[in-house]
Amino acid sequence: MPAPRTVLLTGAAGGLGTLMRGLLPAYGYDLRLLDIRPIDDEPRALTADLADRDALREAVRGTDAVLHLAGISLESTFDKILKANIEGTYHLYEAAREEGVRRIVFASSNHAVGFTPRPRGDDPLIPVGTPRRPDTFYGLSKSFGEDLAQFYWDKHGIETVSVRIGSCFPEPTSVRMLSVWMSPDDGARLFHAALTAEDVRHTVVYGSSANTRLWWDLASARALGYEPRDDSERYAPKLIAEQGELDPANPDHAHLGGHFCTNPPVWPY
C-alpha cells in the first residue's frame, strides 16, 4: 500500500504517544492526535474517551491509517481493563470499519505471552507463534486485541500489525529491560514499517531493538522492512552493577513478563 500520510494516533498524551508525536512526522506523517486527556501543547488534538463512538468516527474519518496506543498500560481491575482496552479497542475497529480505514497498527504487549518462560543460555528465541499466556488482565486484553484484529481482517478486510511491545523508553531502567527494550528511534522505525508494508493481513511482531540479550524472534518484524539500529548492551554494565544479573531462582525473573507475573504495577487512575 502507498505510504499513509494522515494517521490517527490514539493515546497521544501517553508516554509512548508523546515519543511518537515527536518522531513520526519525520517519516512524512500528518498526525491526528486523540487522547482522553487534553494535550496542552497541541491545541488541535481531539479529547475523547474510547467509549464515545461518535467522536471516534469523527477522529477516524479521512485518515489513511490508525496507530492505536490508547488504553490502560498497566494492571488494573477487570472492569477498568474491560472498558478501556477491550471495549475501547472494539469501538476503534468499528469506527475504522464504518469509515473505510484499512490499516491499523495495534499496540499489543509482551504481556500477552508474559507467563512464557524466558530463554536461558542457548535456548531458542521465543517465536511470535508461541501460545499466548497472559500474565495480567492487561495482558489478557492484549490477547483479545490480537484476536479482534484477526477477526476484522477475516471478516472485514481491515489489515493490522499487532506489535508486542517490550519497553519503549529513552533508555532501559532494569536488567530485564536489557532484553526487551525498544529505543524510541527503533519504535518509530517499526511503526513506520507496520504502517507501510504491503499485504500484512494480520501480522504479529515483537517490538524491540536488536538487543544483544534479546529474548524473542524479530523475524516477522524484519519481514515488514523493520531494521533496528539500537542495542541495549551499552547500558548493561551500569544496570548489572546496580541490580545484579537475573536470578533463575527469583520468581520475578522466571518468565517473559517479569514482575508482572508476580506483583504487577497498578494503573494509578
Side-chain angles (χ1 to χ4, degrees):
M1 63 183 292
R5 303 294 297 177
T6 302
V7 172
L8 175 64
L9 174 62
T10 73
L16 182 55
T18 299
L19 290 170
M20 293 306 110
R21 279 161 45 201
L23 291 168
L24 284 176
Y27 290 86
Y29 298 108
D30 178 16
L31 297 179
R32 184 179 299 176
L33 308 179
L34 175 73
D35 202 283
I36 194 172
R37 296 177 292 168
I39 305 175
D40 292 338
D41 57 343
E42 296 284 357
R44 296 172 55 211
L46 305 171
T47 303
D49 193 297
L50 293 175
D52 187 340
R53 299 182 69 168
D54 290 337
L56 271 184
R57 282 198 67 170
E58 181 181 348
V60 165
R61 188 172 299 133
T63 63
D64 299 295
V66 179
L67 175 54
H68 183 42
L69 306 182
I72 292 172
S73 60
L74 301 171
E75 182 61 315
S76 189
T77 65
F78 180 76
D79 286 344
K80 290 181 179 179
I81 292 286
L82 175 65
K83 181 176 183 293
N85 291 16
I86 295 177
E87 293 180 354
T89 300
Y90 161 70
H91 292 156
L92 177 74
Y93 270 85
E94 273 296 281
R97 181 188 65 81
E98 291 165 340
E99 296 297 329
V101 176
R102 314 311 296 174
R103 176 67 62 92
I104 294 174
V105 177
F106 169 60
S108 186
S109 171
N110 69 99
H111 296 292
V113 290
F115 268 115
T116 303
R118 68 174 176 86
R120 302 180 189 183
D122 294 328
D123 289 350
L125 296 174
I126 297 169
V128 293
T130 195
R132 288 201 298 259
R133 299 179 64 177
D135 52 27
T136 44
F137 290 137
Y138 165 67
L140 187 66
S141 75
K142 297 304 182 179
S143 295
F144 170 84
E146 292 183 12
D147 282 342
L148 190 73
Q150 184 66 54
F151 172 73
Y152 270 80
W153 162 248
D154 290 333
K155 184 75 170 180
H156 301 297
I158 295 175
E159 293 191 303
T160 297
V161 177
S162 293
V163 183
R164 289 179 182 165
I165 298 169
S167 300
C168 189
F169 299 102
E171 62 182 67
T173 59
S174 70
V175 173
R176 171 186 173 272
M177 208 180 291
L178 294 171
S179 298
V180 301
W181 178 66
M182 181 167 67
S183 72
D185 286 339
D186 277 342
R189 292 182 188 106
L190 178 51
F191 290 137
H192 173 60
L195 287 164
T196 56
E198 298 282 349
D199 193 27
V200 300
R201 304 188 176 199
H202 176 226
T203 297
V204 179
V205 305
Y206 287 113
S208 72
S209 292
N211 302 315
T212 297
R213 299 165 189 256
L214 189 66
W215 286 344
W216 50 50
D217 188 353
L218 293 177
S220 62
R222 292 180 185 276
L224 299 177
Y226 173 51
E227 297 181 3
R229 298 180 186 174
D230 295 321
D231 184 346
S232 64
E233 197 62 18
R234 61 194 172 108
Y235 302 102
K238 178 176 182 292
L239 288 170
I240 292 170
E242 294 171 349
Q243 303 173 14
E245 292 278 9
L246 296 180
D247 179 3
N250 186 337
D252 286 353
H253 300 166
H255 300 98
L256 189 63
H259 68 289
F260 272 65
C261 297
T262 54
N263 186 28
V266 175
W267 188 249
Y269 306 109

